Amino acid sequence: DVKVTQSSRYLVKRTGEKVFLECVQDMDHENMFWYRQDPGLGLRLIYFSYDVKMKEKGDIPEGYSVSREKKERFSLILESASTNQTSMYLCASIGQDTQYFGPGTRLTVL
Amino acid sequence: RKEVEQDPGPFNVPEGATVAFNCTYSNSASQSFFWYRQDCRKEPKLLMSVYSSGNEDGRFTAQLNRASQYISLLIRDSKLSDSATYLCVVNVPFRSGGGADGLTFGKGTHLIIQP
């Protein structure tokens, strides 16, 4: 019954490293989203994609980039990780009548 | 003004009580509305959509008032397992016109059901 998977549940990286977070959905959805969730701030949209190779900035895109080469896969990239990017990262896949989140990746940047 | 506002709680209520959550949204162009539930250290999960006519799913009732830009969730006969954070979610059309509607989340209301 897998719907949205994320490559790692927990990740620890060092400042300056390049970090890849992968998200895969098996529902043939066109719309995929990356959020981060922080205490007191709720979920904030980083980037989204509405089709292969299409991407749009969300509310907090600074320090991030994304890649959507295949419909089922949406990757979030931290070009040079910083400590303020320590957070829970959630991928979402949204279709006509269905919305699912992945289990989340808890990223710690040291 | 924040796009989606909720009372953060926590709401501490005894088992069996009725509890109500409220939420307001600022973007009058919003078209779809949802309540999500998030358990501790888990991802948010869709609880129910909210329709203009109001809708009910078992012990849960959701209502929408477009004129006041207000959404509510009512839980009757609350159970211990209802303890969670409830997120009010609004679909906000993106300005880019790219064709995707995005979900804007409230910060959530924390509910604790006590035995």
Side-chain angles (χ1 to χ4, degrees), chain B residues 77-89:
Chain B
D77 187 25
S78 53
K79 313 287 185 193
L80 294 176
S81 58
D82 293 334
S83 298
T85 297
Y86 290 83
L87 303 166
C88 176
V89 185

Side-chain angles (χ1 to χ4, degrees), chain A residues 9 31 33 35 37 40-43 45 48-50 56-59 88 90 94 97 99 101-104 106, chain B residues 3 34 36 38 41-46 49 87 89 94-107:
Chain A
R9 292 299 302 272
N31 300 328
F33 300 78
Y35 291 87
Q37 186 173 30
L41 298 175
L43 279 94
L45 180 64
F48 69 97
S49 169
Y50 54 88
E56 293 279 352
K57 294 179 180 179
D59 298 320
M88 168 67 88
L90 290 155
I94 298 174
D97 300 309
Q99 309 166 10
F101 277 84
R106 186 166 292 279
Chain B
E3 291 207 54
F34 310 92
Y36 274 68
Q38 186 172 24
R41 298 187 181 279
K42 299 282 190 179
E43 73 273 21
K45 292 185 178 177
L46 179 63
S49 302
L87 303 166
V89 185
F94 283 104
R95 291 184 296 275
S96 66
D101 290 338
L103 301 180
T104 297
F105 287 77
K107 293 181 182 179

